[in-house]
Amino acid sequence: MKYSNIGGQAVMEGIMMKNGDHYAVAVRKPDKEIEVKVEECHSFIKNKKILQLPFIRGVFNFVDSLVLGMKSLMFSAEFFMDDEEEEKEREKEEKQRKKGKDPEKENSILLGFTVAFSIVLAVGVFMILPYFISLLFQKLTDSQLLISIAEGVVRILIFVGYILLISRMKDIQRTFMYHGAEHKCINCIEHGMELNVENVRKSSREHKRCGTSFLLIVMIVSIIFFLFIRVHSPILRVVVRLLLIPVIAGVSYEFIRLAGISENKIVGLLSKPGLAMQHLTTKEPTDDMIEVAIAAVEAVYDWKKFLRENFGKEFPEDKES
C-alpha cells in the first residue's frame, strides 16, 4: 500500500482535511449545500527545523492539531447558529469595532485560551486523576509495581469510558460517522482506487495514523514510563508525570508516524489496539457524508496525481492531452 501525506478530522456536520501548509473544511449546511473553505495553516513554532526533529515534533504537531481542529470546529458551528445567536454575534463584533478592537484578534486570543484549557483539562483527567485513584490501592498492597499497573489500567478505563459516554450523544454519533468518512476517503486513495462515493463506501474506516490510536498509544506509553521511573515523594510523582507528558507525546507520535508508513508485522501488531478503538470513534457514514469528505479532500489534495505516480492510473483527461 502507498501512503499519502493527507490527514484530517471530523467537525460539526463536516470534515477538515490537511495537506502540507493548506487545509480545507467542508460542511454540509442546513440547506444541504456543501460549503468549502480553504486556507493556509501555520504552526505556532516558526522554526521549521524544530518541527522536523524526532520526538520533539510530536509535541508541536499535537498542539497545532488542536488549534486547527478548534478553528475548523468554530467555522462549521457558524452554519448551525439560529438567527438570534447570529444577531448577538454580529452585535458583539460591532461593539468591539466601535471600541477600536479587532474581533479576529479577540477570537484568536479566545482560541488560545480554549486550547490551553483543553490541554490542562485533558492532563488533569487522563494523567493526574488516575494517579490519585491508584493511591487507593495502597490499602491493598505495598508493591509500587502493582500500584503503577493499577494506575495505567485506571487511565485506560477512564479513556474508554469517556469515549463510550460521549458516543451516546446524537451529535457525537454523527461526528463519528464523518470521522469514518474521513478515514474511508484516505484509505480509498491509498489503496489505489478512484475517489468516488462507491469506492469510498467499500473502503475501511480503520487507519493507523488516526488521532484515536495516538491517544491510546499515549496511555500505553505512559504505563511503560511510569513502571520504570519511580520516586518516593508523592509531590515529586505528580511533578514527574507532568514533566514526562511532552516526552510521552513525542514517543507516541513517532510510533504513530512509523505505523502509518510501515508494513512491519510487529508494528502492525502493536497498532491493533488503536485500530480496535477506532470502532468506537468511527461509524459507517451515509453517502451524503462521503460527498462532504470527498469535497474536503479534493480542495487540498490532487488524488489523481497520487494515483498516476504510485499506481500508474490513467484518466480520460490524460488521453486527451
Side-chain angles (χ1 to χ4, degrees), residues 71-83:
K71 287 176 66 176
S72 302
L73 186 60
M74 289 168 64
F75 171 76
S76 63
E78 290 176 2
F79 296 103
F80 301 94
M81 289 182 178
D82 57 34
D83 293 338

Side-chain angles (χ1 to χ4, degrees), residues 88-115:
K88 286 181 179 178
E89 190 65 27
R90 281 195 293 267
E91 288 177 0
K92 181 182 175 182
E93 290 184 0
E94 188 61 32
K95 287 179 181 178
Q96 287 175 330
R97 289 191 179 93
K98 287 180 179 179
K99 293 179 180 179
K101 297 180 179 179
D102 184 353
E104 290 188 6
K105 187 177 180 180
E106 295 279 335
N107 288 338
S108 296
I109 294 172
L110 179 61
L111 178 63
F113 278 117
T114 303
V115 171

Side-chain angles (χ1 to χ4, degrees), residues 56-314:
I56 293 176
R57 60 190 171 191
V59 180
F60 297 128
N61 270 284
F62 176 66
V63 176
D64 284 342
S65 295
L66 276 178
V67 172
L68 187 55
M70 288 288 185
K71 287 176 66 176
S72 302
L73 186 60
M74 289 168 64
F75 171 76
S76 63
E78 290 176 2
F79 296 103
F80 301 94
M81 289 182 178
D82 57 34
D83 293 338
E84 186 177 342
E85 288 176 323
E86 283 189 61
E87 183 62 31
K88 286 181 179 178
E89 190 65 27
R90 281 195 293 267
E91 288 177 0
K92 181 182 175 182
E93 290 184 0
E94 188 61 32
K95 287 179 181 178
Q96 287 175 330
R97 289 191 179 93
K98 287 180 179 179
K99 293 179 180 179
K101 297 180 179 179
D102 184 353
E104 290 188 6
K105 187 177 180 180
E106 295 279 335
N107 288 338
S108 296
I109 294 172
L110 179 61
L111 178 63
F113 278 117
T114 303
V115 171
F117 176 76
S118 300
I119 293 174
V120 171
L121 184 63
V123 169
V125 173
F126 297 114
M127 300 301 288
I128 304 303
L129 180 60
Y131 165 69
F132 285 108
I133 293 176
S134 72
L135 296 180
L136 299 175
F137 290 90
Q138 289 182 351
K139 298 178 181 179
L140 304 175
T141 179
D142 293 329
S143 171
Q144 288 301 314
L145 176 63
L146 291 177
I147 292 173
S148 295
I149 292 173
E151 178 188 347
V153 172
V154 169
R155 182 173 291 113
I156 291 177
L157 287 176
I158 290 176
F159 177 61
V160 175
Y162 168 75
I163 296 296
L164 288 172
L165 185 63
I166 66 170
S167 66
R168 299 176 66 86
M169 300 167 62
K170 185 178 179 180
D171 288 343
I172 297 298
Q173 288 174 2
R174 288 189 61 81
T175 301
F176 284 174
M177 292 170 75
Y178 275 106
H179 190 194
E182 174 224 326
H183 282 196
K184 289 166 84 75
C185 273
I186 297 174
N187 277 321
C188 176
I189 297 168
E190 294 184 340
H191 284 83
M193 295 186 290
E194 293 186 29
L195 192 63
N196 55 52
V197 173
E198 183 179 354
N199 286 340
V200 171
R201 194 188 308 116
K202 61 187 179 185
S203 296
S204 172
R205 67 176 201 261
E206 294 180 355
H207 202 280
K208 292 179 180 178
R209 296 195 303 270
C210 176
T212 303
S213 294
F214 170 75
L215 292 175
L216 185 61
I217 291 298
V218 165
M219 305 294 165
I220 295 172
V221 171
S222 69
I223 293 174
I224 297 170
F225 269 67
F226 299 150
L227 279 176
F228 293 99
I229 301 175
R230 301 180 196 172
V231 291
H232 296 292
S233 168
I235 296 175
L236 281 179
R237 286 177 198 160
V238 175
V239 172
V240 166
R241 277 154 178 73
L242 292 173
L243 292 177
L244 283 177
I245 288 172
V247 180
I248 292 169
V251 172
S252 303
Y253 175 82
E254 294 304 321
F255 175 80
I256 289 296
R257 195 170 184 272
L258 174 64
I261 60 173
S262 174
E263 295 293 337
N264 183 279
K265 291 183 179 180
I266 296 177
V267 174
L269 184 64
L270 293 173
S271 299
K272 291 293 184 182
L275 295 176
M277 274 295 297
Q278 290 176 35
H279 285 275
L280 295 178
T281 61
T282 66
K283 302 296 180 185
E284 286 296 328
T286 59
D287 286 357
D288 62 331
M289 290 177 174
I290 292 174
E291 290 171 357
V292 174
I294 290 174
V297 172
E298 293 186 327
V300 291
Y301 192 71
D302 189 346
W303 59 268
K304 289 185 178 181
K305 179 181 178 182
F306 178 81
L307 296 188
R308 289 188 192 102
E309 293 178 349
N310 293 281
F311 296 93
K313 293 278 187 178
E314 291 187 354

